[in-house]
Amino acid sequence: MISPVRTAIFPVAGLGTRFLPATKATPKELLPVIDTPLIQYAIDEAQEAGIERMIFVSHPSKSAIERHVMDDAKLRADLKARGKPQLARDLQEASFCPQTDDVVFTMQHDPLGLGHAVLCARDFVLPGPVAVLLPDDLILGQGCLAEMVAAYQECAAGHMVAAMQVRPEDTRKYGILSTTGRQAGQMIKADGIVEKPSPDVAPSCEAVVGRYVLDASIFDDLANQDPGAGGEIQLTDAISRGIDRVGLAGFRFSGHRYDCGSKAGMLRAILHLATHDPEYHDVLEEHGLRQSSAKAA
Ligand code: UTP
């Protein structure tokens, strides 16, 4: 079956203030989780989901993102000349070629909010629903977008958002779904989203995280929307406005999500990867984060 979700939008134009000064000259989306930038994980996830067109909504000061994403023939030639042909092949494999890959870069000149960034992609999307991936939400394990796209084909709702259970005291950090109680497999039917509610008024503990599959009518809702919280055009406001018309579902993904927009979340993701890679086990032992294999035996 051909996937109805052909376009992925990557909003990467934000200021990344929580990571200053690291993000003064380096875009947040290029911060590495050990050796792989956040944006690369999101691209790999979209490719696994069978996305045809990738649209990056960036900012002129963040041109390093384009340099990372696109092929660099000069760098590859230099690596080959220095006897590193495998490294050159690996880089080519992971990057896009302007002649053969369907990649668009467009600019959001002022960071007017996530919803506004998504709206900036409007003129470039292929027909049908679109996927939106926030690269600073790193989801490891099973590819989240591929799971969502597969479920979307069975789902009656036009808007689908990735959802995970959070502790009641953490509801104020997320958009929280108002659920109807009906659940089918990993899908939860919802009739609203409340932005960052305190625990006493939160309608549930199902938090929305940075993966969305959205009905194409989202662009009309975004275009006709006034600024919301923080004076920004909020994506959740536009999703809420479409619920009566197209429906909303949460999707409980199988992987594990790391909030790499925060320093603690980034550290957790790095420690998780280090724990699973024998190359770093000595380092973890030095810091008492892992028992030495000799002691464990
Ligand atoms: P965040 O709110 O996490 O990113 O947006 P931020 O604003 O860059 O970071 P902080 O909070 O100041 O540290 C999630 C994603 O949406 C993009 C960001 O680049 C990030 O990938 N974004 C956000 C935009 O593209 N435009 C915006 O106006 C806002």
Side-chain angles (χ1 to χ4, degrees):
M1 199 193 299
I2 296 173
S3 167
V5 189
R6 302 172 63 198
T7 308
I9 300 169
F10 301 86
V12 293
L15 294 174
T17 54
R18 284 171 293 165
F19 254 107
L20 282 168
T23 46
K24 191 175 166 211
T26 304
K28 173 170 75 171
E29 297 78 8
L30 290 186
L31 294 180
V33 189
I34 301 185
D35 62 356
T36 304
L38 286 169
I39 191 71
Q40 190 64 52
Y41 282 100
I43 291 169
D44 293 347
E45 192 182 318
Q47 281 182 318
E48 189 193 332
I51 293 297
E52 286 172 51
R53 176 170 296 174
M54 314 256 180
I55 303 176
F56 297 84
V57 180
S58 187
H59 184 272
S61 67
K62 298 176 88 174
S63 58
I65 295 178
E66 191 161 352
R67 290 208 302 284
H68 172 79
V69 167
M70 301 309 290
D71 184 32
D72 184 340
K74 163 90 172 60
L75 175 60
R76 282 194 288 109
D78 287 349
L79 288 169
K80 276 189 205 149
R82 285 162 194 243
K84 296 186 172 173
Q86 186 56 47
L87 200 46
R89 276 195 293 276
D90 290 347
L91 283 184
Q92 186 171 20
E93 177 82 1
S95 52
F96 292 121
C97 163
Q99 282 79 34
T100 51
D101 292 306
D102 194 347
V103 183
V104 176
F105 272 82
T106 188
M107 296 297 139
Q108 183 195 30
H109 289 275
D110 293 306
L112 300 178
L114 175 59
H116 181 261
V118 171
L119 184 59
C120 289
R122 178 178 206 166
D123 290 345
F124 307 100
V125 300
L126 295 167
V130 296
V132 177
L133 296 96
L134 307 190
D136 51 354
D137 266 340
L138 173 63
I139 300 182
L140 296 174
Q142 202 162 332
C144 178
L145 188 64
E147 276 189 307
M148 287 177 75
V149 166
Y152 189 76
Q153 318 212 32
E154 324 267 294
C155 164
H159 294 328
M160 179 188 275
V161 296
M164 69 175 200
Q165 283 269 333
V166 294
R167 295 174 305 178
E169 60 268 35
D170 288 334
T171 56
R172 60 176 92 244
K173 299 182 194 159
Y174 298 88
I176 298 291
L177 292 176
S178 160
T179 56
T180 63
R182 267 184 292 151
Q183 193 175 334
Q186 289 166 275
M187 211 113 66
I188 318 153
K189 200 91 177 87
D191 58 8
I193 306 182
V194 184
E195 205 40 64
K196 301 187 172 69
S198 57
D200 48 318
V201 295
S204 77
C205 286
E206 297 288 346
V208 176
V209 303
R211 299 292 181 278
Y212 309 79
V213 177
L214 301 172
D215 184 80
S217 62
I218 192 76
F219 294 110
D220 283 337
D221 285 327
L222 284 168
N224 295 319
Q225 192 177 295
D226 293 327
E232 297 187 340
I233 305 280
Q234 302 286 351
L235 184 61
T236 43
D237 289 348
I239 293 173
S240 294
R241 287 177 60 192
I243 294 176
D244 288 346
R245 215 174 45 249
V246 302
L248 174 67
F251 182 82
R252 282 217 191 122
F253 53 96
S254 312
H256 192 92
R257 175 257 190 182
Y258 294 89
D259 173 13
C260 289
S262 76
K263 287 173 265 193
M266 176 65 98
L267 184 57
R268 281 195 185 96
I270 290 172
L271 287 173
H272 172 85
L273 291 183
T275 310
H276 289 83
D277 188 338
E279 194 180 335
Y280 304 112
H281 285 177
D282 284 354
V283 181
L284 295 179
E285 279 166 27
E286 279 163 32
H287 290 81
L289 297 170
R290 190 176 181 278
Q291 215 183 357
S292 87
S293 35
K295 270 194 204 151

